Every structure is written in structure tokens, then in C-alpha cells.
Amino acid sequence: MVGLIKRKLEASTLIEVLIAMVIIVIVFTIAMHVFANVMNTGVSSAKIKAENQIRLIAADVKNKGQIDEEVLILDSIGYELRVMPAVAAGLSQLEISAIQEGRKITMYRCWFVDKLNEEN
């Protein structure tokens, strides 16, 4: 028993532990910001899905020659369709925007023959 009492135990002080914890918290905070930036700026599956859906909507408008609805909601993504003023007789520009949770995901513009404004 006498040998145990005389032997000095080595351990970290409270200050060392607190400094280590502060460093770990700083590293995790930086990592969280980097991760959030990567998730916000990366190509998401919703963006790819929206781009594919926009192409299908544009092809449908080109075939019909007119817009049936100005706002579509498909799979929790809203699509706003706008027809820009005609630059030539019967030729109009279509702009389709995909919006999810109040944020614009992607946009697509194309020309189409506007059958409503087409001159015969």
C-alpha cells in the first residue's frame, strides 16, 4: 500500500481538457459550414429531375403550340411557364422555371410556334 501512495499519477489538467474541447468545437463548426456549402451548391437529384421534367413540358408545349396552365406542381416541384412577347409572327419564347421550397432550382428557355398568335 505504501508504494501506491508515493507513486505520482500523471493526468491532464482541467485547462488542457478545456482547450482540447474548444479546438474540437471549432473544427466541427468549420466542418459543418463546409458540408452545408457543398450540399447547397452541389447538383442535387431534385435539380436533375426538374431539368428532365422541364424538357418534357417544353416538348409538350411545342407540340400543342400553346400553354394549357401557367403553373404546374409535379412531385413537390412547382413549374412556372411564361410566354415572352412574340418577336416574329407566330414565334414566341417560352420560359419555364422550376421552384422548390421558394428557391429557383433551374430555368429553361426555348422558342416555339405559338398557334394562338399565329397569323394565317
Side-chain angles (χ1 to χ4, degrees):
M1 281 276 227
V2 176
L4 289 175
I5 295 174
K6 289 185 178 182
R7 200 171 105 208
K8 185 177 180 182
L9 296 174
E10 292 187 25
S12 299
T13 63
L14 184 59
I15 301 291
E16 291 172 335
V17 172
L18 289 175
I19 291 172
M21 287 176 54
V22 167
I23 291 171
I24 290 171
V25 167
I26 291 170
V27 168
F28 278 129
T29 303
I30 293 170
M32 285 176 30
H33 286 292
V34 169
F35 181 73
N37 286 338
V38 167
M39 292 304 291
N40 287 337
T41 60
V43 177
S44 66
S45 61
K47 183 175 181 176
I48 294 170
K49 182 195 254 184
E51 287 174 351
N52 291 333
Q53 191 65 41
I54 281 177
R55 287 190 182 96
L56 291 173
I57 293 169
D60 186 45
V61 170
K62 287 178 184 179
N63 288 337
K64 290 181 179 178
Q66 63 184 13
I67 294 178
D68 295 332
E69 300 176 45
E70 291 184 3
V71 177
L72 298 170
I73 298 177
L74 303 169
D75 297 331
S76 74
I77 300 174
Y79 299 94
E80 294 179 355
L81 289 76
R82 289 191 306 157
V83 176
M84 303 298 181
V87 294
L91 188 62
S92 297
Q93 186 178 24
L94 173 66
E95 179 180 291
I96 306 172
S97 299
I99 299 171
Q100 185 178 34
E101 297 174 2
R103 193 179 67 181
K104 186 183 280 190
I105 299 174
T106 187
M107 186 183 71
Y108 182 78
R109 287 184 181 157
C110 64
W111 297 98
F112 75 103
V113 177
D114 192 352
K115 293 183 180 175
L116 292 177
N117 296 326
E118 189 175 43
E119 293 181 3
N120 294 327

